[in-house]
Amino acid sequence: MKTWQKILLVVIILALLGGGAYWIFRPKSASTQGQSPLYKVQQGSISKELSLSGNVALKTQINVTPGVSGKVASINVSVGDEVKEGQELLKLDTSDLDSQIQDAQWSLESAQLRLKQLQEPLSDYDRENLEISLEKAKMELEAAQANLEQVTETCSISEKLAKDSVAQAQSDLEDAQANLELVKENAERALTTAQKEVDKAQKQLDNATTEAEKEAAQEALDAAKEKLESQKLTNDQQIASAQKQVSSAQNALSKAQLSLKQTEMSNQNSLKNAQNQLTSAEYSLKLAQLQYEQKMSSTSTVDLRLQQIQVEQAQTKLNQLLVQKAASSVVAPSAGTVSAINVKVGDSVGANTTLLVLTNASALEVTSNVPEVNIGEIKPGMEARVTADAYPGQTFNATLSSIDPVATETQGVVSYTAHFSLNEEAAKTLKPGMTVQVKVVVAQAQNALIIPRTALSSIGNRYLVKVWDGSAFVVKQVEVGILNDTMAEIKNGLQQGDQIAMSFEGGTVQSSSSQNRQFPVGPGGLEGIPFEPGAGRRSP
């Protein structure tokens, strides 16, 4: 008889026996016939866990980008710094943006003014005021032009005078230096002459033979030496006086040069102010002319709508520029630690350039690869227990937060990556990169009827147990709920207090029919109707 025929025969026999189909085992007693020990059905808790291997990883790593292009002006943090949410990390140069914003503001104001003028009717009083404003603007422009010309002329004169003073001081210095050289030359000649007279007198004294000659020669020598000393003193005084004149001339030149620089700076400021006044007057005149022309012209519905569009466009452009300027200050999107800085001051960066990298060492998660065969057992929100070899005896709580929708295949094995969020205690204790073991509670029940898993046997999708009725074992079909490695949840077919065989194997089976046939029960199932693995009978 083929295996499937044997299975079919068992199913037919069970069907003939009716609801709660059973086999009657009639041993003399549970002990004398070698039956397995009895187990009393009771209520309790049962759960099923899925064991996985995982790794601790950083949950968040933020790549900070500017959102706008620009040049790095300053970097306010260093690698390793702890930053708060909203803290400025670096700043981009906004000099070009500032100029664009100013132009955009002027365009918006001009467009708004034009719209206001188009919307308001013009009265005689307004027309007169416009004419007065226009004339006033023209007069102010003429005055600004005249002022610029006057300031330019005054600056030219004052600068020429200052330059003349420098030239005169330079000339005086050159004269004083020349005089000093002349005094030195004259002093040298006079000193040479006096020295010659001393030498001559000394020679006469050396050649004198009589006392009278010697006395006269000595007197001449003393007079020559006195004159020489007097000449040295005179020379020193004249040279000192000439040097003093040179120093005075140098001081006068320095003062004249400083006065020239001050005059040039003052003139530059004066000219700049005068030019700014002229520019302002020209702007005021253009604005007055624009107001006058706009007010004096007739307004149509199309013109009004076009001007409204121009105002909206100008406002949009200004808003965009302001957003770009705000984005030039790059701030931390969340608290964290600066783990990398990829730019330096002066670098030009794009809107999507990763400037810095922020990490949060306390925001950890556990990632595990879940085999395809088990993926249907888990879902986000399930609780899990995490253990690590580095912390023996400690168990950490985690929650399944998400499952990657795309599978990965490694050496022909398909799996999905599951992410488990750690509680605060686990995040403070575990370290990134650690290997951990994860047990996920995939099913659990409280106050359930539970029996040992060894008490179950199965035929196809049906589960059977042997119930002791006091004198014999009755095989009953039961509905099974949660199954783990050791226990099984019975949802229907048994009651609390029922006694069942701890093992389905062994004993003798007797039909409930009048023939009272007996079938020995061995490891393979009912003799003649075996429960073969994979063909009707399976291990629970």
Side-chain angles (χ1 to χ4, degrees), residues 117-365:
Q117 291 172 339
L118 291 176
Q119 292 172 336
E120 295 178 354
L122 185 64
S123 63
D124 293 339
Y125 176 78
D126 291 335
R127 184 181 296 104
E128 184 177 353
N129 282 337
L130 282 174
E131 293 172 352
I132 293 174
S133 298
L134 182 59
E135 290 300 321
K136 181 180 178 182
K138 290 179 180 179
M139 293 174 62
E140 289 178 348
L141 177 59
E142 293 173 358
Q145 290 172 335
N147 179 65
L148 178 59
E149 293 174 359
Q150 182 179 358
V151 169
T152 302
E153 184 179 357
T154 301
C155 290
S156 178
I157 293 173
S158 63
E159 187 170 336
K160 183 178 183 304
L161 292 175
K163 288 180 178 179
D164 290 344
S165 297
V166 172
Q168 183 61 47
Q170 182 68 45
S171 177
D172 292 343
L173 175 59
E174 292 173 355
D175 292 344
Q177 290 173 335
N179 179 63
L180 176 60
E181 294 299 322
L182 180 61
V183 168
K184 286 182 178 180
E185 291 176 2
N186 293 334
E188 185 66 27
R189 286 195 296 269
L191 188 62
T192 300
T193 301
Q195 183 64 49
K196 287 180 178 180
E197 291 179 357
V198 171
D199 295 340
K200 181 180 178 182
Q202 182 66 48
K203 186 176 181 180
Q204 289 176 351
L205 177 61
D206 294 339
N207 295 331
T209 57
T210 65
E211 288 298 328
E213 290 176 349
K214 290 180 178 180
E215 183 176 354
Q218 183 65 50
E219 290 178 356
L221 178 60
D222 291 340
K225 287 182 177 180
E226 183 177 355
K227 185 177 179 181
L228 176 61
E229 293 300 324
S230 176
Q231 187 62 49
K232 288 181 179 180
L233 180 60
T234 300
N235 288 351
D236 291 342
Q237 290 175 346
Q238 290 176 347
I239 291 173
S241 177
Q243 288 176 333
K244 185 176 181 181
Q245 291 177 358
V246 170
S247 298
S248 177
Q250 287 175 333
N251 291 334
L253 176 60
S254 297
K255 290 180 179 179
Q257 290 172 335
L258 178 61
S259 177
L260 174 60
K261 290 182 179 179
Q262 292 175 341
T263 299
E264 289 174 343
M265 292 178 62
S266 177
N267 288 348
Q268 288 176 357
N269 291 332
S270 298
L271 286 171
K272 184 177 181 180
N273 291 335
Q275 185 62 52
N276 289 339
Q277 291 176 3
L278 177 60
T279 301
S280 177
E282 289 173 342
Y283 170 78
S284 298
L285 177 59
K286 289 180 181 178
L287 187 60
Q289 289 174 332
L290 178 63
Q291 292 175 346
Y292 182 80
E293 292 171 359
Q294 290 175 343
K295 285 291 186 178
M296 296 300 291
S297 62
S298 59
T299 304
S300 66
T301 304
V302 174
D303 292 336
L304 187 62
R305 181 53 188 156
L306 288 175
Q307 191 59 37
Q308 289 174 338
I309 293 174
Q310 289 183 7
V311 171
E312 293 170 359
Q313 290 175 339
Q315 183 67 63
T316 300
K317 183 177 180 180
L318 177 60
N319 291 342
Q320 290 173 344
L321 292 172
L322 292 175
V323 169
Q324 292 181 20
K325 183 173 182 180
S328 67
S329 176
V330 182
V331 300
S334 63
T337 302
V338 180
S339 59
I341 299 177
N342 301 328
V343 293
K344 60 182 181 297
V345 174
D347 286 353
S348 296
V349 297
N352 297 319
T353 302
T354 299
L355 307 178
L356 306 96
V357 178
L358 296 181
T359 57
N360 188 348
S362 62
L364 300 178
E365 67 174 4

Side-chain angles (χ1 to χ4, degrees), residues 46-106:
I46 185 172
S47 62
K48 181 180 179 181
E49 295 181 334
L50 176 63
S51 296
L52 303 169
S53 178
N55 294 96
V56 180
L58 287 170
K59 188 176 182 180
T60 56
Q61 176 172 301
I62 302 174
N63 295 328
V64 180
T65 58
V68 293
S69 301
K71 183 178 291 186
V72 179
S74 63
I75 301 175
N76 305 326
V77 293
S78 302
V79 173
D81 286 355
E82 297 286 340
V83 298
K84 299 179 180 178
E85 182 178 353
Q87 179 178 337
E88 186 178 71
L89 304 177
L90 57 76
K91 193 169 184 64
L92 302 180
D93 183 13
T94 61
S95 55
D96 292 340
L97 272 177
D98 291 339
S99 177
Q100 295 178 34
I101 290 173
Q102 185 175 2
D103 291 343
Q105 288 175 334
W106 183 88

Side-chain angles (χ1 to χ4, degrees), residues 255-525:
K255 290 180 179 179
Q257 290 172 335
L258 178 61
S259 177
L260 174 60
K261 290 182 179 179
Q262 292 175 341
T263 299
E264 289 174 343
M265 292 178 62
S266 177
N267 288 348
Q268 288 176 357
N269 291 332
S270 298
L271 286 171
K272 184 177 181 180
N273 291 335
Q275 185 62 52
N276 289 339
Q277 291 176 3
L278 177 60
T279 301
S280 177
E282 289 173 342
Y283 170 78
S284 298
L285 177 59
K286 289 180 181 178
L287 187 60
Q289 289 174 332
L290 178 63
Q291 292 175 346
Y292 182 80
E293 292 171 359
Q294 290 175 343
K295 285 291 186 178
M296 296 300 291
S297 62
S298 59
T299 304
S300 66
T301 304
V302 174
D303 292 336
L304 187 62
R305 181 53 188 156
L306 288 175
Q307 191 59 37
Q308 289 174 338
I309 293 174
Q310 289 183 7
V311 171
E312 293 170 359
Q313 290 175 339
Q315 183 67 63
T316 300
K317 183 177 180 180
L318 177 60
N319 291 342
Q320 290 173 344
L321 292 172
L322 292 175
V323 169
Q324 292 181 20
K325 183 173 182 180
S328 67
S329 176
V330 182
V331 300
S334 63
T337 302
V338 180
S339 59
I341 299 177
N342 301 328
V343 293
K344 60 182 181 297
V345 174
D347 286 353
S348 296
V349 297
N352 297 319
T353 302
T354 299
L355 307 178
L356 306 96
V357 178
L358 296 181
T359 57
N360 188 348
S362 62
L364 300 178
E365 67 174 4
V366 171
T367 59
S368 296
N369 290 329
V370 182
E372 180 183 20
V373 68
N374 300 115
I375 198 65
E377 297 179 335
I378 64 173
K379 60 182 179 180
M382 286 184 170
E383 298 177 355
R385 292 178 289 112
V386 178
T387 57
D389 293 340
Y391 301 99
Q394 294 191 50
T395 301
F396 306 98
N397 294 327
T399 303
L400 178 57
S401 57
S402 64
I403 304 170
D404 288 353
V406 180
T408 59
E409 184 174 346
T410 305
Q411 296 180 348
V413 178
V414 177
S415 62
Y416 294 81
T417 301
H419 301 265
F420 296 86
S421 299
L422 297 170
N423 62 12
E424 184 176 356
E425 177 187 0
K428 289 181 179 179
T429 305
L430 299 177
K431 308 299 180 186
M434 280 186 173
T435 299
V436 295
Q437 293 73 48
V438 182
K439 291 187 180 294
V440 186
V441 179
V442 296
Q444 58 184 348
Q446 306 290 334
N447 299 321
L449 292 181
I450 56 176
I451 65 172
R453 185 161 181 171
T454 56
L456 286 174
S457 184
S458 64
I459 301 176
N461 294 326
R462 298 186 179 190
Y463 288 95
L464 307 174
V465 296
K466 294 194 297 183
V467 182
W468 181 253
D469 65 358
S471 59
F473 281 108
V474 177
V475 176
K476 286 190 175 182
Q477 179 182 335
V478 293
E479 181 183 352
V480 175
I482 298 172
L483 282 173
N484 59 27
D485 293 339
T486 58
M487 303 298 289
E489 176 192 11
I490 303 301
K491 305 190 75 171
N492 194 14
L494 293 177
Q495 295 182 357
Q496 185 174 355
D498 285 348
Q499 297 187 66
I500 63 173
M502 289 284 290
S503 173
F504 200 88
E505 308 297 346
T508 302
V509 177
Q510 180 176 321
S511 172
S512 60
S513 67
S514 57
Q515 296 179 354
N516 201 28
R517 293 183 58 195
Q518 292 186 341
F519 301 90
V521 179

